[in-house]
Amino acid sequence: FLFYVLCEVDERGFHPVGYYSKEKYSDVGYNLACILTFPCHQRKGYGRFLIDFSYELSKKEDKVGSPEKPMSDLGQQAYKPYWTSTIIDFLLNESEKSMSIMDISKKTSIIAEDIIFTMNMLGLLKYINGVYFITAERTLLQELAKKHPVKEPRVDPFQLHWTPYLTDIKRDKFSIHSKKPTIEGDITSRAAGGF
């Protein structure tokens, strides 16, 4: 396991406020195994910060991930708002008119199953003939963004200097590089003579 400890800093030094752990390599794509914010530091946004941090590290690893399952009730209380605000924020700020769940997954590093769960919960998906369709009008997304804002503190990915624990990308099915392109990208590459 790898452990990441979050600290507050003052003139007396570093003071741990929480941590999370993750497996060095997860066969099922978990990017977080255990998370804890010490009781005297709860309600400060540190749990959400650690969740955000776990996904930012997944982005640096070029992977999609999910917390270890099954999740506890408290885990669900922490993750549902995070997924909701992250996905809504992404959809509002993305300039692409057409995108797939896999596109959202690649950009947010949230595994497709968690995106489908969240978007179903929000009523943003339609399932027609075995295919999911995203139905998110801008006004609805703006309304949802007011109900589910992205909260502080947030991880600044530009301040994150970290080298991933290296694994064999060819056998890593959660690597973004192993994900299939969108249908439009596939059609474009075939039209250009690629395959």
Side-chain angles (χ1 to χ4, degrees):
F1 281 89
L2 301 170
F3 290 84
Y4 298 91
V5 180
L6 179 64
C7 296
E8 287 183 344
V9 181
D10 62 19
E11 65 280 347
R12 295 181 326 177
F14 295 85
H15 311 284
V17 297
Y19 78 93
Y20 87 89
S21 64
K22 68 182 265 182
E23 295 176 79
K24 289 181 182 176
Y25 177 78
S26 172
D27 285 335
V28 288
Y30 296 147
N31 67 355
L32 186 143
C34 181
I35 185 170
L36 171 76
T37 301
F38 299 136
C40 59
H41 294 288
Q42 291 177 354
R43 312 301 303 162
K44 294 180 180 179
Y46 291 149
R48 184 183 185 92
F49 182 85
L50 288 168
I51 291 169
D52 192 28
F53 189 74
S54 73
Y55 282 108
E56 288 300 329
L57 293 187
S58 291
K59 289 176 189 175
K60 292 267 187 193
E61 293 175 300
D62 285 333
K63 292 183 179 183
V64 295
S66 183
E68 194 170 284
K69 304 226 173 60
M71 279 198 289
S72 67
D73 292 342
L74 289 174
Q76 288 184 28
Q77 282 180 342
Y79 269 90
K80 283 180 186 178
Y82 176 80
W83 290 332
T84 300
S85 62
T86 301
I87 292 166
I88 291 169
D89 185 61
F90 173 78
L91 291 172
L92 269 174
N93 294 308
E94 186 59 34
S95 59
E96 301 278 325
K97 294 225 178 211
S98 171
M99 72 180 68
S100 69
I101 290 169
M102 197 55 65
D103 293 331
I104 298 169
S105 182
K106 286 179 180 180
K107 296 283 174 94
T108 63
S109 283
I110 299 171
I111 203 163
E113 290 81 8
D114 295 336
I115 293 171
I116 291 168
F117 168 80
T118 303
M119 293 183 82
N120 265 329
M121 185 179 70
L122 294 169
L124 298 177
L125 283 184
K126 288 190 178 173
Y127 190 71
I128 303 170
N129 296 330
V131 178
Y132 284 104
F133 290 92
I134 300 170
T135 57
E137 293 185 20
R138 187 155 191 80
T139 53
L140 175 61
L141 290 174
Q142 289 169 337
E143 197 176 296
L144 288 170
K146 288 178 186 173
K147 288 182 191 173
H148 308 281
V150 175
K151 295 180 181 175
E152 299 294 333
R154 294 174 77 176
V155 176
D156 181 355
F158 298 107
Q159 298 297 321
L160 183 56
H161 305 284
W162 178 79
T163 302
Y165 182 80
L166 299 176
T167 59
D168 184 6
I169 290 175
K170 291 178 183 170
R171 75 178 189 117
D172 188 356
K173 62 185 175 188
F174 296 97
S175 171
I176 289 173
H177 302 292
S178 70
K179 302 299 173 200
K180 294 179 183 175
T182 61
I183 294 170
E184 294 83 18
D186 194 29
I187 292 169
T188 306
S189 67
R190 285 184 189 172
F195 207 137

